[in-house]
């Protein structure tokens, strides 16, 4: 009779079934949510001010590590060509330098982060949403295929993630290009909210893909 309670007591010590990619995405999502709330609390005056260059640099390092280690942008895989590796190294180096020595790259890191996120969002929408849709239109199946609800949910989350990522990139670049038209107040309000949303969407994507992998393993 004590076996079930013992198993429940030590369930946290069992090996996690997360893949390497989902493990990294879980870490990234949690860290983005924490960072978003820290920025929001800083704007509201609830926590002391901190290095704004460091937060931008940290986001650059996170996305660059995911690209270099896993060959992934958010939700999509890319071929790790020398061009992709060089771009990842450039972004990560700039992010690390910005975290350690704030102020020097203040005018460069912010546009670089914005450009990186715009490219990420476009790549995500293009490879995961637009390309499969166009392929289905050009090569329709002989019989209508009904997608499972979990697949539809995954497509919806990926589409929203791509749109939010592009909006985040534009929001990051706009104050640099149009400082008079896009005030710092609007930038400060949108930035933490978008970071939190991106973190939540990352965790939702991990949950859905993990469920799909478990279903595939069970059926096989």
């Amino acid at each position: 009779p004590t076996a079930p309670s013992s198993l429940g007591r030590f369930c946290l010590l069992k090996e996690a079934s997360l893949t390497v990619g989902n493990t990294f995405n879980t870490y990234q999502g949690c860290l983005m949510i924490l960072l978003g709330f820290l920025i929001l609390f800083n704007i509201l005056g609830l926590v002391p001010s901190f290095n704004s260059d460091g937060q931008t640099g940290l986001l650059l390092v996170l996305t660059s590590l995911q690209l270099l280690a896993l060959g992934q942008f958010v939700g999509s895989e890319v071929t790790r060509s020398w061009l992709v590796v060089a771009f990842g190294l450039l972004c990560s180096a700039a992010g690390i330098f910005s975290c350690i020595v704030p102020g020097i790259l203040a005018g460069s890191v912010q546009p670089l982060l914005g450009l990186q996120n715009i490219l990420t969002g476009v790549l995500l929408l293009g490879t995961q949403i637009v390309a499969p849709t166009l392929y289905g239109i050009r090569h329709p199946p002989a019989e209508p295929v009904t997608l499972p609800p979990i697949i539809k949910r995954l497509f919806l989350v990926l589409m929203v993630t791509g749109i939010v990522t592009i909006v985040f990139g534009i929001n990051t670049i706009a104050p640099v290009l149009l400082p008079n038209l896009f005030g710092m107040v609007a930038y400060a309000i949108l930035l933490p909210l978008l970071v939190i949303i991106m973190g939540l969407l990352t965790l939702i994507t991990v949950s859905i893909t993990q469920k799909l992998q478990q279903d595939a393993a069970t059926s096989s």
Side-chain angles (χ1 to χ4, degrees):
T2 58
S5 61
S6 300
L7 290 175
R9 187 181 309 165
F10 296 103
C11 63
L12 293 178
L13 300 179
K14 295 180 180 179
E15 182 180 357
S17 59
L18 291 173
T19 62
V20 176
N22 281 343
T23 301
F24 189 91
N25 288 332
T26 301
Y27 161 75
Q28 184 182 25
C30 292
L31 195 57
M32 291 180 70
I33 293 173
L34 175 61
L35 179 61
F37 276 110
L38 285 177
I39 299 173
L40 181 61
F41 292 159
N42 179 35
I43 295 173
L44 298 176
L46 301 178
V47 297
S49 59
F50 51 88
N51 174 22
S52 59
D53 290 343
Q55 71 192 26
T56 307
L58 179 60
L59 291 173
L60 263 179
V61 172
L62 281 175
T63 51
S64 300
L65 284 178
Q66 186 181 30
L67 176 63
L68 291 171
L70 304 174
Q72 292 181 348
F73 277 127
V74 183
S76 24
E77 296 184 358
V78 297
T79 302
R80 281 184 291 181
S81 63
W82 285 111
L83 180 61
V84 171
V85 171
F87 180 69
L89 289 174
L90 173 65
C91 293
S92 60
I96 292 172
F97 188 85
S98 180
C99 290
I100 299 175
V101 188
I104 297 181
L105 297 180
S108 303
V109 175
Q110 189 171 321
L112 187 59
L113 177 64
L115 177 62
Q116 186 189 60
N117 277 271
I118 291 175
L119 291 176
T120 299
V122 171
L123 179 64
L124 176 60
L125 290 177
T127 58
Q128 303 297 318
I129 305 299
V130 177
T133 302
L134 292 178
Y135 182 84
I137 294 175
R138 293 175 180 175
H139 304 86
E143 298 181 0
V145 177
T146 303
L147 294 176
I150 190 171
I151 299 296
K152 294 180 180 179
R153 192 157 60 247
L154 177 61
F155 282 156
L156 177 61
V157 172
L158 290 177
M159 183 176 64
V160 175
T161 301
I163 295 173
V164 172
T165 304
I166 293 174
V167 172
F168 176 80
I170 296 174
N171 180 68
T172 305
I173 294 179
V176 179
L177 300 179
L178 306 169
N180 296 327
L181 298 179
F182 197 92
M184 292 302 295
V185 175
Y187 166 75
I189 293 174
L190 283 176
L191 178 64
L193 296 179
L194 290 173
V195 172
I196 293 172
I197 293 173
M198 289 169 63
L200 290 173
L201 289 171
T202 301
L203 295 181
I204 294 173
T205 303
V206 169
S207 174
I208 295 175
T209 55
Q210 194 65 22
K211 181 68 168 61
L212 287 173
Q213 291 168 1
Q214 290 175 354
D215 292 344
T218 303
S219 61
S220 61

